[in-house]
Amino acid sequence: MQRPETSAVVLVIDDDEPYRERLVRAFGRKGFTAHGVGSAKEALELAPSVRPGYAVIDLKLPDGSGLDLVRELKALDARTTMVVLTGYGSIATAVEAVRRGATHYLSKPVDVDDILLAFAGATLPAGEAAALEHQVPSLARAEWEHIQRVLADCGGNISQAARLLRIQRRSLQRKLSKHPVRQ
């Protein structure tokens, strides 16, 4: 069996298992050899054997910071193109991620097309095609996804989600009763 080309290997490091597995499957459908792990330790154990050309790293990991992992993965292979993901974006952490070697910094929720566009800014040859195919979600779709994420974070508790979103509970119920907006 022939070893896959390094540039086509993606390592996804995120402690949110359903999200990580979804990204791994999506990268696989895009023609990448994708591996997913849930911690910095697992990433550092796997990286030397799979030699990823690309890495997607969550900022908050159970055993450390994604920023520290960026530096450690760069030390293993300086050619690895990395994107840092976070649910809580700030300019300071974005600057720090890039300073440590990340190519890009994205706020969740993101999909594979968003990540490919971030990779394209660095080295991905198919980046122009990905940019042409990528559709920016509508404002209504972004609102729907944000509401769903907050609701999931609250364990489905509509009252708590409404407080966090700073809207009336009844208004939130009306928004939830509508069908999701298409991209």
mmCIF file of all heavy atoms in Angstrom, residues 48-86:
data_model
loop_
_atom_site.group_PDB
_atom_site.id
_atom_site.type_symbol
_atom_site.label_atom_id
_atom_site.label_comp_id
_atom_site.label_asym_id
_atom_site.label_seq_id
_atom_site.Cartn_x
_atom_site.Cartn_y
_atom_site.Cartn_z
ATOM 1 N N PRO A 48 3.671 12.465 14.076
ATOM 2 C CA PRO A 48 4.889 11.966 13.419
ATOM 3 C C PRO A 48 4.630 10.808 12.449
ATOM 4 O O PRO A 48 5.318 10.690 11.442
ATOM 5 C CB PRO A 48 5.772 11.508 14.594
ATOM 6 C CG PRO A 48 5.283 12.276 15.769
ATOM 7 C CD PRO A 48 3.806 12.434 15.547
ATOM 8 N N SER A 49 3.622 9.980 12.724
ATOM 9 C CA SER A 49 3.376 8.839 11.842
ATOM 10 C C SER A 49 2.530 9.208 10.614
ATOM 11 O O SER A 49 2.721 8.632 9.552
ATOM 12 C CB SER A 49 2.723 7.699 12.614
ATOM 13 O OG SER A 49 1.479 8.098 13.124
ATOM 14 N N VAL A 50 1.590 10.140 10.746
ATOM 15 C CA VAL A 50 0.740 10.479 9.593
ATOM 16 C C VAL A 50 1.265 11.670 8.803
ATOM 17 O O VAL A 50 0.826 11.900 7.686
ATOM 18 C CB VAL A 50 -0.733 10.736 10.010
ATOM 19 C CG1 VAL A 50 -1.330 9.498 10.640
ATOM 20 C CG2 VAL A 50 -0.881 11.932 10.896
ATOM 21 N N ARG A 51 2.183 12.428 9.378
ATOM 22 C CA ARG A 51 2.799 13.599 8.733
ATOM 23 C C ARG A 51 1.765 14.487 8.037
ATOM 24 O O ARG A 51 1.739 14.600 6.810
ATOM 25 C CB ARG A 51 3.864 13.156 7.730
ATOM 26 C CG ARG A 51 4.998 12.400 8.357
ATOM 27 C CD ARG A 51 6.048 11.967 7.371
ATOM 28 N NE ARG A 51 5.441 11.349 6.199
ATOM 29 C CZ ARG A 51 5.942 11.405 4.975
ATOM 30 N NH1 ARG A 51 7.079 12.015 4.758
ATOM 31 N NH2 ARG A 51 5.343 10.840 3.964
ATOM 32 N N PRO A 52 0.892 15.146 8.803
ATOM 33 C CA PRO A 52 -0.161 15.955 8.177
ATOM 34 C C PRO A 52 0.394 17.188 7.463
ATOM 35 O O PRO A 52 1.308 17.837 7.958
ATOM 36 C CB PRO A 52 -1.034 16.364 9.368
ATOM 37 C CG PRO A 52 -0.099 16.366 10.529
ATOM 38 C CD PRO A 52 0.866 15.243 10.260
ATOM 39 N N GLY A 53 -0.176 17.454 6.316
ATOM 40 C CA GLY A 53 0.158 18.688 5.614
ATOM 41 C C GLY A 53 -0.698 19.833 6.127
ATOM 42 O O GLY A 53 -0.341 20.998 5.995
ATOM 43 N N TYR A 54 -1.834 19.466 6.739
ATOM 44 C CA TYR A 54 -2.787 20.438 7.245
ATOM 45 C C TYR A 54 -3.270 19.999 8.623
ATOM 46 O O TYR A 54 -3.387 18.805 8.900
ATOM 47 C CB TYR A 54 -3.998 20.570 6.308
ATOM 48 C CG TYR A 54 -3.613 20.978 4.922
ATOM 49 C CD1 TYR A 54 -3.421 20.028 3.932
ATOM 50 C CD2 TYR A 54 -3.415 22.315 4.607
ATOM 51 C CE1 TYR A 54 -3.039 20.406 2.649
ATOM 52 C CE2 TYR A 54 -3.037 22.701 3.335
ATOM 53 C CZ TYR A 54 -2.849 21.743 2.360
ATOM 54 O OH TYR A 54 -2.475 22.120 1.114
ATOM 55 N N ALA A 55 -3.561 20.975 9.483
ATOM 56 C CA ALA A 55 -4.109 20.676 10.808
ATOM 57 C C ALA A 55 -5.192 21.690 11.142
ATOM 58 O O ALA A 55 -5.044 22.883 10.861
ATOM 59 C CB ALA A 55 -3.008 20.701 11.862
ATOM 60 N N VAL A 56 -6.263 21.189 11.737
ATOM 61 C CA VAL A 56 -7.358 22.024 12.227
ATOM 62 C C VAL A 56 -7.361 21.834 13.736
ATOM 63 O O VAL A 56 -7.557 20.720 14.223
ATOM 64 C CB VAL A 56 -8.713 21.594 11.620
ATOM 65 C CG1 VAL A 56 -9.837 22.452 12.163
ATOM 66 C CG2 VAL A 56 -8.653 21.650 10.105
ATOM 67 N N ILE A 57 -7.119 22.913 14.489
ATOM 68 C CA ILE A 57 -6.890 22.805 15.928
ATOM 69 C C ILE A 57 -7.886 23.662 16.692
ATOM 70 O O ILE A 57 -7.981 24.869 16.462
ATOM 71 C CB ILE A 57 -5.449 23.265 16.271
ATOM 72 C CG1 ILE A 57 -4.438 22.474 15.445
ATOM 73 C CG2 ILE A 57 -5.180 23.144 17.762
ATOM 74 C CD1 ILE A 57 -3.031 23.043 15.484
ATOM 75 N N ASP A 58 -8.594 23.037 17.629
ATOM 76 C CA ASP A 58 -9.495 23.778 18.515
ATOM 77 C C ASP A 58 -8.643 24.532 19.538
ATOM 78 O O ASP A 58 -7.641 24.006 20.029
ATOM 79 C CB ASP A 58 -10.447 22.812 19.222
ATOM 80 C CG ASP A 58 -11.549 23.518 19.989
ATOM 81 O OD1 ASP A 58 -11.820 24.708 19.708
ATOM 82 O OD2 ASP A 58 -12.144 22.885 20.873
ATOM 83 N N LEU A 59 -9.028 25.753 19.854
ATOM 84 C CA LEU A 59 -8.263 26.564 20.793
ATOM 85 C C LEU A 59 -8.262 25.964 22.194
ATOM 86 O O LEU A 59 -7.233 25.919 22.864
ATOM 87 C CB LEU A 59 -8.820 27.992 20.832
ATOM 88 C CG LEU A 59 -8.110 28.959 21.760
ATOM 89 C CD1 LEU A 59 -6.691 29.220 21.282
ATOM 90 C CD2 LEU A 59 -8.874 30.266 21.839
ATOM 91 N N LYS A 60 -9.423 25.482 22.642
ATOM 92 C CA LYS A 60 -9.527 24.928 24.005
ATOM 93 C C LYS A 60 -9.584 23.411 23.932
ATOM 94 O O LYS A 60 -10.554 22.849 23.451
ATOM 95 C CB LYS A 60 -10.771 25.478 24.701
ATOM 96 C CG LYS A 60 -10.667 26.960 24.938
ATOM 97 C CD LYS A 60 -11.818 27.459 25.778
ATOM 98 C CE LYS A 60 -11.787 28.970 25.798
ATOM 99 N NZ LYS A 60 -11.632 29.565 27.046
ATOM 100 N N LEU A 61 -8.533 22.788 24.437
ATOM 101 C CA LEU A 61 -8.454 21.335 24.472
ATOM 102 C C LEU A 61 -8.419 20.877 25.926
ATOM 103 O O LEU A 61 -7.981 21.636 26.800
ATOM 104 C CB LEU A 61 -7.198 20.864 23.725
ATOM 105 C CG LEU A 61 -7.180 21.182 22.226
ATOM 106 C CD1 LEU A 61 -5.809 20.923 21.637
ATOM 107 C CD2 LEU A 61 -8.233 20.363 21.503
ATOM 108 N N PRO A 62 -8.844 19.654 26.203
ATOM 109 C CA PRO A 62 -8.904 19.217 27.603
ATOM 110 C C PRO A 62 -7.548 19.161 28.304
ATOM 111 O O PRO A 62 -7.469 19.289 29.512
ATOM 112 C CB PRO A 62 -9.539 17.826 27.522
ATOM 113 C CG PRO A 62 -9.424 17.402 26.111
ATOM 114 C CD PRO A 62 -9.332 18.643 25.281
ATOM 115 N N ASP A 63 -6.488 18.984 27.537
ATOM 116 C CA ASP A 63 -5.169 18.858 28.156
ATOM 117 C C ASP A 63 -4.210 19.985 27.780
ATOM 118 O O ASP A 63 -3.001 19.831 27.836
ATOM 119 C CB ASP A 63 -4.551 17.506 27.815
ATOM 120 C CG ASP A 63 -4.377 17.294 26.320
ATOM 121 O OD1 ASP A 63 -4.938 18.091 25.525
ATOM 122 O OD2 ASP A 63 -3.699 16.335 25.936
ATOM 123 N N GLY A 64 -4.754 21.126 27.397
ATOM 124 C CA GLY A 64 -3.883 22.257 27.075
ATOM 125 C C GLY A 64 -4.513 23.200 26.078
ATOM 126 O O GLY A 64 -5.663 23.054 25.681
ATOM 127 N N SER A 65 -3.727 24.162 25.677
ATOM 128 C CA SER A 65 -4.180 25.179 24.738
ATOM 129 C C SER A 65 -3.835 24.788 23.308
ATOM 130 O O SER A 65 -2.748 24.250 23.043
ATOM 131 C CB SER A 65 -3.511 26.514 25.081
ATOM 132 O OG SER A 65 -3.697 27.439 24.039
ATOM 133 N N GLY A 66 -4.751 25.078 22.399
ATOM 134 C CA GLY A 66 -4.469 24.867 20.991
ATOM 135 C C GLY A 66 -3.315 25.723 20.507
ATOM 136 O O GLY A 66 -2.592 25.346 19.576
ATOM 137 N N LEU A 67 -3.101 26.871 21.152
ATOM 138 C CA LEU A 67 -1.977 27.739 20.774
ATOM 139 C C LEU A 67 -0.643 27.049 21.042
ATOM 140 O O LEU A 67 0.288 27.140 20.238
ATOM 141 C CB LEU A 67 -2.041 29.065 21.531
ATOM 142 C CG LEU A 67 -3.234 29.965 21.215
ATOM 143 C CD1 LEU A 67 -3.193 31.219 22.082
ATOM 144 C CD2 LEU A 67 -3.286 30.326 19.752
ATOM 145 N N ASP A 68 -0.547 26.345 22.172
ATOM 146 C CA ASP A 68 0.680 25.595 22.470
ATOM 147 C C ASP A 68 0.864 24.466 21.472
ATOM 148 O O ASP A 68 1.994 24.185 21.042
ATOM 149 C CB ASP A 68 0.640 25.034 23.892
ATOM 150 C CG ASP A 68 0.648 26.121 24.952
ATOM 151 O OD1 ASP A 68 1.154 27.229 24.669
ATOM 152 O OD2 ASP A 68 0.118 25.874 26.053
ATOM 153 N N LEU A 69 -0.229 23.824 21.090
ATOM 154 C CA LEU A 69 -0.154 22.734 20.123
ATOM 155 C C LEU A 69 0.314 23.232 18.760
ATOM 156 O O LEU A 69 1.060 22.533 18.075
ATOM 157 C CB LEU A 69 -1.507 22.032 20.016
ATOM 158 C CG LEU A 69 -1.555 20.804 19.113
ATOM 159 C CD1 LEU A 69 -0.548 19.744 19.560
ATOM 160 C CD2 LEU A 69 -2.958 20.225 19.095
ATOM 161 N N VAL A 70 -0.096 24.431 18.361
ATOM 162 C CA VAL A 70 0.362 25.008 17.087
ATOM 163 C C VAL A 70 1.893 25.053 17.080
ATOM 164 O O VAL A 70 2.538 24.604 16.128
ATOM 165 C CB VAL A 70 -0.221 26.422 16.859
ATOM 166 C CG1 VAL A 70 0.488 27.135 15.726
ATOM 167 C CG2 VAL A 70 -1.710 26.340 16.574
ATOM 168 N N ARG A 71 2.457 25.576 18.145
ATOM 169 C CA ARG A 71 3.922 25.682 18.231
ATOM 170 C C ARG A 71 4.584 24.299 18.177
ATOM 171 O O ARG A 71 5.580 24.103 17.483
ATOM 172 C CB ARG A 71 4.313 26.410 19.512
ATOM 173 C CG ARG A 71 5.819 26.595 19.640
ATOM 174 C CD ARG A 71 6.187 27.401 20.842
ATOM 175 N NE ARG A 71 5.913 28.802 20.554
ATOM 176 C CZ ARG A 71 5.662 29.717 21.464
ATOM 177 N NH1 ARG A 71 5.653 29.410 22.736
ATOM 178 N NH2 ARG A 71 5.445 30.968 21.113
ATOM 179 N N GLU A 72 4.010 23.336 18.897
ATOM 180 C CA GLU A 72 4.608 21.994 18.940
ATOM 181 C C GLU A 72 4.495 21.281 17.596
ATOM 182 O O GLU A 72 5.433 20.591 17.181
ATOM 183 C CB GLU A 72 3.958 21.179 20.051
ATOM 184 C CG GLU A 72 4.303 21.723 21.433
ATOM 185 C CD GLU A 72 3.589 20.982 22.551
ATOM 186 O OE1 GLU A 72 3.672 19.740 22.569
ATOM 187 O OE2 GLU A 72 2.968 21.647 23.400
ATOM 188 N N LEU A 73 3.373 21.432 16.893
ATOM 189 C CA LEU A 73 3.236 20.815 15.577
ATOM 190 C C LEU A 73 4.160 21.487 14.556
ATOM 191 O O LEU A 73 4.705 20.822 13.675
ATOM 192 C CB LEU A 73 1.780 20.856 15.108
ATOM 193 C CG LEU A 73 0.812 19.914 15.827
ATOM 194 C CD1 LEU A 73 -0.614 20.136 15.346
ATOM 195 C CD2 LEU A 73 1.219 18.460 15.635
ATOM 196 N N LYS A 74 4.328 22.800 14.676
ATOM 197 C CA LYS A 74 5.260 23.506 13.787
ATOM 198 C C LYS A 74 6.691 23.019 14.011
ATOM 199 O O LYS A 74 7.482 22.936 13.079
ATOM 200 C CB LYS A 74 5.196 25.025 14.008
ATOM 201 C CG LYS A 74 4.161 25.730 13.180
ATOM 202 C CD LYS A 74 4.459 25.676 11.707
ATOM 203 C CE LYS A 74 3.447 26.479 10.928
ATOM 204 N NZ LYS A 74 3.533 26.288 9.494
ATOM 205 N N ALA A 75 7.023 22.695 15.270
ATOM 206 C CA ALA A 75 8.360 22.183 15.577
ATOM 207 C C ALA A 75 8.575 20.807 14.934
ATOM 208 O O ALA A 75 9.693 20.486 14.515
ATOM 209 C CB ALA A 75 8.566 22.105 17.087
ATOM 210 N N LEU A 76 7.500 20.008 14.834
ATOM 211 C CA LEU A 76 7.612 18.699 14.187
ATOM 212 C C LEU A 76 7.776 18.835 12.677
ATOM 213 O O LEU A 76 8.542 18.100 12.064
ATOM 214 C CB LEU A 76 6.382 17.843 14.489
ATOM 215 C CG LEU A 76 6.233 17.324 15.906
ATOM 216 C CD1 LEU A 76 4.882 16.623 16.079
ATOM 217 C CD2 LEU A 76 7.362 16.366 16.252
ATOM 218 N N ASP A 77 7.025 19.745 12.068
ATOM 219 C CA ASP A 77 7.109 19.969 10.620
ATOM 220 C C ASP A 77 6.664 21.403 10.324
ATOM 221 O O ASP A 77 5.480 21.724 10.403
ATOM 222 C CB ASP A 77 6.228 18.975 9.870
ATOM 223 C CG ASP A 77 6.409 19.052 8.359
ATOM 224 O OD1 ASP A 77 7.060 20.008 7.865
ATOM 225 O OD2 ASP A 77 5.901 18.165 7.660
ATOM 226 N N ALA A 78 7.610 22.228 9.969
ATOM 227 C CA ALA A 78 7.332 23.649 9.728
ATOM 228 C C ALA A 78 6.439 23.872 8.510
ATOM 229 O O ALA A 78 5.851 24.938 8.354
ATOM 230 C CB ALA A 78 8.639 24.413 9.559
ATOM 231 N N ARG A 79 6.306 22.866 7.651
ATOM 232 C CA ARG A 79 5.484 23.017 6.437
ATOM 233 C C ARG A 79 3.997 22.809 6.690
ATOM 234 O O ARG A 79 3.180 23.092 5.820
ATOM 235 C CB ARG A 79 5.952 22.033 5.364
ATOM 236 C CG ARG A 79 7.389 22.269 4.910
ATOM 237 C CD ARG A 79 7.863 21.145 4.059
ATOM 238 N NE ARG A 79 7.829 19.923 4.885
ATOM 239 C CZ ARG A 79 8.027 18.701 4.424
ATOM 240 N NH1 ARG A 79 8.266 18.508 3.151
ATOM 241 N NH2 ARG A 79 7.982 17.665 5.226
ATOM 242 N N THR A 80 3.621 22.318 7.866
ATOM 243 C CA THR A 80 2.215 22.054 8.165
ATOM 244 C C THR A 80 1.423 23.360 8.201
ATOM 245 O O THR A 80 1.798 24.305 8.878
ATOM 246 C CB THR A 80 2.067 21.335 9.526
ATOM 247 O OG1 THR A 80 2.834 20.135 9.491
ATOM 248 C CG2 THR A 80 0.611 20.996 9.810
ATOM 249 N N THR A 81 0.350 23.398 7.436
ATOM 250 C CA THR A 81 -0.538 24.553 7.402
ATOM 251 C C THR A 81 -1.622 24.340 8.447
ATOM 252 O O THR A 81 -2.292 23.310 8.434
ATOM 253 C CB THR A 81 -1.175 24.690 6.009
ATOM 254 O OG1 THR A 81 -0.132 24.797 5.042
ATOM 255 C CG2 THR A 81 -2.066 25.912 5.931
ATOM 256 N N MET A 82 -1.771 25.300 9.363
ATOM 257 C CA MET A 82 -2.698 25.114 10.480
ATOM 258 C C MET A 82 -3.741 26.215 10.562
ATOM 259 O O MET A 82 -3.435 27.381 10.326
ATOM 260 C CB MET A 82 -1.914 25.088 11.789
ATOM 261 C CG MET A 82 -1.023 23.885 11.904
ATOM 262 S SD MET A 82 -0.142 23.888 13.438
ATOM 263 C CE MET A 82 1.525 23.833 12.818
ATOM 264 N N VAL A 83 -4.945 25.806 10.935
ATOM 265 C CA VAL A 83 -6.043 26.727 11.194
ATOM 266 C C VAL A 83 -6.517 26.465 12.619
ATOM 267 O O VAL A 83 -6.740 25.317 13.002
ATOM 268 C CB VAL A 83 -7.201 26.516 10.191
ATOM 269 C CG1 VAL A 83 -8.423 27.325 10.589
ATOM 270 C CG2 VAL A 83 -6.762 26.890 8.792
ATOM 271 N N VAL A 84 -6.650 27.529 13.407
ATOM 272 C CA VAL A 84 -7.135 27.420 14.784
ATOM 273 C C VAL A 84 -8.613 27.797 14.798
ATOM 274 O O VAL A 84 -9.015 28.802 14.215
ATOM 275 C CB VAL A 84 -6.321 28.348 15.728
ATOM 276 C CG1 VAL A 84 -6.909 28.344 17.132
ATOM 277 C CG2 VAL A 84 -4.858 27.921 15.755
ATOM 278 N N LEU A 85 -9.423 26.952 15.485
ATOM 279 C CA LEU A 85 -10.859 27.194 15.609
ATOM 280 C C LEU A 85 -11.190 27.535 17.057
ATOM 281 O O LEU A 85 -10.587 26.986 17.975
ATOM 282 C CB LEU A 85 -11.650 25.934 15.239
ATOM 283 C CG LEU A 85 -11.442 25.332 13.867
ATOM 284 C CD1 LEU A 85 -12.324 24.108 13.708
ATOM 285 C CD2 LEU A 85 -11.730 26.338 12.779
ATOM 286 N N THR A 86 -12.149 28.415 17.235
ATOM 287 C CA THR A 86 -12.597 28.727 18.587
ATOM 288 C C THR A 86 -14.055 29.144 18.584
ATOM 289 O O THR A 86 -14.552 29.667 17.596
ATOM 290 C CB THR A 86 -11.747 29.835 19.227
ATOM 291 O OG1 THR A 86 -12.195 30.048 20.562
ATOM 292 C CG2 THR A 86 -11.852 31.130 18.460
#
